[in-house]
Amino acid sequence: MTGKTAPPAKKPAPAAAKKKTAATPKKEPAATPMEETAATPKEESAATPKEEPAATPKEEPAPAAGDTPAPEHPPSEEQSVAPTDQPAPEAMAEGTPASEEGSPAPPAEPQAPAPEPEPEKPKAEPPSSPLSLAVEDVKENAVTLTWKAPEQTGRSGLDGYVVEFCKDGSSDWTAANQEPFLSTRYTIQDLSSGDKIHVRVKAVSASGASVPATLEQPVLIREILQLPKIRMPRHLRQTYVRRVGDAVNLMIPFQGKPKPEVVWTKGGQALDTSRINIRNTERDTIFYIRNAHRNDSGQYELAVRINGAEDKATLDIRVIEPPGPPENLKLVDVWGFNVALEWTPPADNGNSDIKGYMVQKSDKKSGKWFTALERCSRTSCTISDLIIGNTYSFRVFAENSCGLSEKAAVTSAVAHIQKTKTTYQPEKIPQRDMMEPPKFTQPLTDRTTTRGYSTHLFCSVRGFPQPKIIWMKNQMEIREDPKYIAMIEQGVCSLEIRKPSPFDGGVYTCKAVNPLGEASVDCRLDVK
C-alpha cells in the first residue's frame, strides 16, 4: 500500500502541559474523504469534541509512548470499516501519539463530577456606635457620662457597653468596667483631681465591639463650685396650714457644689428628732412629720452652707383644729315674736381666726334643732318669726378654717312666746266727694297715614261717674261700623281705623259725657 507514513511519535509532554491541552481542546480541521477513510479508530478516539466539558484538576497521568488512550465514544460503523494501515493525519501530531494497530480499546468509565464548594456564610456585623455621648456631671474624683443606644445592635443583640478612658497625651486606654453593662449612664470613680482624660464608649455584642464613641474634648477632673441657693416652692412661701393628725411631708430643693451642709432649727434650737424627720440629699431636703400636733406650729429656719457661704429660708407651719364653744351665752330679751341673744368668743380658737357663728333654735314640742342664722360675724343677734305659744331653746357654734366647734353653748333660760290679746280698731276714713265732670288729660293729635295701613287715635279722660265716650267723624257720630273699633280702658280711649282710604280722611272728635257735664277733643286725619 502507498501512503504517507505516520510521523514518529513525539515524547509525551509534561503532565501540566497535558492538563492544559485537555482543559482547552483545539478545534480539529475538517478531514478530507481520503483522510476519513484512512482514519483509524485510534485516531478518532484521539480527537475530542468541542462540547466536552473541561477536565477537572484531578486527571490521570499521561500515557506512556505506545499506549493508546481510551476513546470517549465508540467508533461508528464507517470508521470501523476503514483500513487500519492508512497513515494518521498530521493533525494527530499535535495531539496524543497514535497507538499501534489493533482493535479499539474498550471505553473508559465516566468520571464523577467534582462537588461544588459550599458558599461562605456572611459574617454577623457588630453593632453601630453609641449615640450622643455627653458629660452629665464632674466631681473632684469622678465623672458621670450619659449616652444613647446605637441604632443597629446586630442579629445577636446587645450584650452591653464598655467605657474606656486615658489621660490626655497618652494612648493607653483603660477599661473602667470589667464586664459589659446595659445602662446608658456610668460614673468613672477614683480619678485624680486636676487630670484631663479622654473617654470613649463601645457597644459590645456576640459579633464583636462597635466603633467607639469618643468625646471631642478631654474632661478636666475638678470640682465645679456653686454657691448655695434654696429654691423655696411657691406654696411654702406663705403659711403652710395643716390639721391636727395630718402628715406634713415637704421637699425643698436647693443647689450648691460641693455637697452643702443642711441645718434645720426652730427658734434657734435644734429640732426634736423624735417627732420631726429630716432627710438630706445632694439636691434637696425633706421635712416630715407623721402626726402633726398643735405645738408643731411655728417658724422653722433652713440654712444651706458651703465653705462659709450660706443661704437661709423660713418655713411657717400652722397646725389647726376646730375651735372651742362660745362662752357666756345669754337670753337678753323676748318681745312679740322675737328673741335677742348675746355671747363672747371661745377661749380656744383652734389656732385659727374665728370666721363666724351658727345659731340654732329648738322648740319644746318637737325637740329638734333648726338653723336660724349662719356665719354671724358679731357676738349678738336677734331671732325673729317665732311661733306664738311655743317655748324655745337656743345654742351657738363657733366656726374657723377647720370647721364648726365640736360643742355648742346652750342658753340656760328658755324663751316663751306668749299670746297677746289685741283689739282691732278700724281706721276712720273721712268721706270724700269723688264726683267730677269729664276732663281730657291727653288730647287727640293730628295724624297722617298711608292708604291700606290701619291706624289708631288715642286720648285719655277722667271723670266720675265714668263718662260715656262718643266718636264722631266730621261731626257725624260713628255707629256700629266694622271699619271702626272703639275701646276705653282705665280712662284711655282709642279708635282703630282699619285699612283707611282717602275717603276716611277728615276731622275726628272724641266726646265724653256724664251727669256732671261733657268735654270733647278733635284731630285731623290725612290719608295718602
Side-chain angles (χ1 to χ4, degrees):
M1 296 179 63
T2 63
K4 295 180 181 180
T5 59
K10 293 182 180 180
K11 293 182 180 181
K18 289 186 178 182
K19 290 179 182 179
K20 182 177 180 181
T21 307
T24 57
K26 293 183 179 180
K27 185 176 180 181
E28 291 293 332
T32 60
M34 185 176 291
E35 289 174 348
E36 288 180 359
T37 57
T40 62
K42 296 178 182 179
E43 294 169 350
E44 291 290 336
S45 63
T48 58
K50 183 179 180 182
E51 292 80 12
E52 281 295 318
T56 59
K58 294 182 181 181
E59 289 192 7
E60 296 179 359
D67 295 342
T68 305
E72 294 182 3
H73 300 283
S76 60
E77 294 180 358
E78 295 179 357
Q79 293 173 348
S80 62
V81 176
T84 60
D85 56 347
Q86 291 292 334
E90 294 181 1
M92 290 297 295
E94 299 178 3
T96 57
S99 62
E100 295 181 357
E101 297 179 0
S103 59
E109 296 181 359
Q111 297 181 358
E116 297 182 359
E118 296 181 0
E120 296 182 0
K121 295 182 179 180
K123 295 183 180 180
E125 295 182 358
S128 58
S129 301
L131 305 175
S132 303
L133 177 61
V135 176
E136 183 182 76
D137 190 18
V138 179
K139 296 183 179 179
E140 187 176 2
N141 56 0
V143 59
T144 303
L145 307 171
T146 59
W147 61 89
K148 294 182 180 179
E151 294 182 352
Q152 299 178 358
T153 57
R155 297 181 180 178
S156 58
L158 195 64
D159 292 342
Y161 302 95
V162 174
V163 180
E164 297 178 343
F165 67 94
C166 72
K167 292 186 178 181
D168 189 20
S170 174
S171 60
D172 296 334
W173 290 92
T174 304
N177 55 310
Q178 300 298 329
E179 297 293 335
F181 60 93
L182 291 174
S183 175
T184 57
R185 185 177 183 272
Y186 187 77
T187 301
I188 305 176
Q189 303 284 355
D190 301 330
L191 299 175
S192 300
S193 179
D195 287 347
K196 285 186 177 181
I197 63 170
H198 295 270
V199 183
R200 66 184 185 184
V201 180
K202 296 180 181 179
V204 180
S205 68
S207 305
S210 68
V211 176
T214 309
L215 290 175
E216 296 181 358
Q217 299 294 333
V219 182
L220 177 60
I221 306 302
R222 66 181 179 90
E223 186 71 24
I224 301 175
L225 298 179
Q226 188 178 28
L227 294 177
K229 179 67 176 177
I230 299 174
R231 299 188 175 277
M232 185 67 72
R234 185 183 299 273
H235 69 284
L236 298 180
R237 297 175 187 174
Q238 53 190 359
T239 302
Y240 184 72
V241 180
R242 302 295 291 175
R243 295 189 178 187
V244 171
D246 290 351
V248 179
N249 189 6
L250 305 176
M251 183 184 71
I252 301 176
F254 56 80
Q255 64 184 22
K257 288 185 179 181
K259 181 179 178 180
E261 178 188 4
V262 180
V263 179
W264 281 92
T265 57
K266 181 182 179 182
Q269 303 295 326
L271 301 183
D272 182 7
T273 56
S274 62
R275 289 198 42 76
I276 303 174
N277 297 323
I278 301 295
R279 185 174 67 86
N280 301 321
T281 66
E282 295 182 356
R283 299 181 179 179
D284 54 49
T285 178
I286 296 177
F287 181 96
Y288 179 71
I289 302 176
R290 183 181 298 274
N291 189 0
H293 291 171
R294 285 273 297 273
N295 54 10
D296 292 328
S297 301
Q299 290 188 345
Y300 294 81
E301 295 82 19
L302 170 63
V304 179
R305 302 168 184 165
I306 301 177
N307 298 331
E310 185 180 45
D311 189 24
K312 292 184 178 181
T314 302
L315 176 62
D316 188 7
I317 297 179
R318 182 185 300 173
V319 181
I320 64 174
E321 61 182 349
E327 297 180 349
N328 303 321
L329 178 60
K330 297 179 182 179
L331 184 62
V332 178
D333 193 10
V334 179
W335 73 99
F337 314 110
N338 309 305
V339 170
L341 301 175
E342 284 184 357
W343 62 90
T344 57
D348 180 14
N349 62 358
N351 204 20
S352 178
D353 295 336
I354 299 297
K355 291 185 175 181
Y357 302 91
M358 183 173 69
V359 182
Q360 292 183 341
K361 64 181 179 180
S362 173
D363 63 278
K364 190 175 180 180
K365 292 181 180 179
S366 65
K368 296 180 179 180
W369 290 97
F370 299 93
T371 301
L373 196 61
E374 287 184 317
R375 294 286 180 95
C376 177
S377 58
R378 297 178 299 174
T379 56
S380 62
C381 69
T382 300
I383 307 300
S384 303
D385 300 329
L386 300 177
I387 299 175
I388 295 177
N390 284 357
T391 302
Y392 290 92
S393 297
F394 301 91
R395 67 182 183 182
V396 180
F397 290 89
E399 183 179 6
N400 66 358
S401 300
C402 198
L404 295 174
S405 58
E406 296 179 358
K407 297 181 179 180
V410 183
T411 55
S412 57
V414 295
H416 180 68
I417 310 301
Q418 297 180 356
K419 298 179 180 179
T420 57
K421 295 181 179 180
T422 57
T423 303
Y424 176 71
Q425 295 180 357
E427 183 180 0
K428 296 181 179 180
I429 302 175
Q431 294 291 335
R432 181 180 178 183
D433 186 8
M434 303 295 294
M435 304 297 285
E436 183 181 6
K439 181 181 179 181
F440 282 92
T441 59
Q442 181 67 34
L444 293 173
T445 57
D446 295 340
R447 294 182 61 85
T448 301
T449 185
T450 305
R451 177 179 182 178
Y453 290 87
S454 299
T455 186
H456 292 76
L457 301 178
F458 295 98
C459 63
S460 60
V461 65
R462 72 181 183 184
F464 190 82
Q466 182 177 355
K468 178 182 178 182
I469 303 301
I470 300 172
W471 286 94
M472 294 181 293
K473 174 190 173 186
N474 298 329
Q475 301 301 321
M476 297 294 294
E477 184 179 353
I478 300 173
R479 295 189 178 274
E480 298 178 359
D481 189 343
K483 192 176 187 67
Y484 301 96
I485 300 177
M487 298 181 64
I488 181 171
E489 183 176 357
Q490 296 184 358
V492 178
C493 307
S494 64
L495 177 66
E496 179 183 0
I497 305 172
R498 304 175 64 186
K499 297 181 179 180
S501 62
F503 175 76
D504 295 319
V507 177
Y508 286 82
T509 303
C510 180
K511 187 176 182 180
V513 180
N514 73 355
L516 299 180
E518 63 179 30
S520 65
V521 290
D522 53 18
C523 69
R524 184 170 186 81
L525 177 66
D526 294 330
V527 181
K528 295 183 179 181

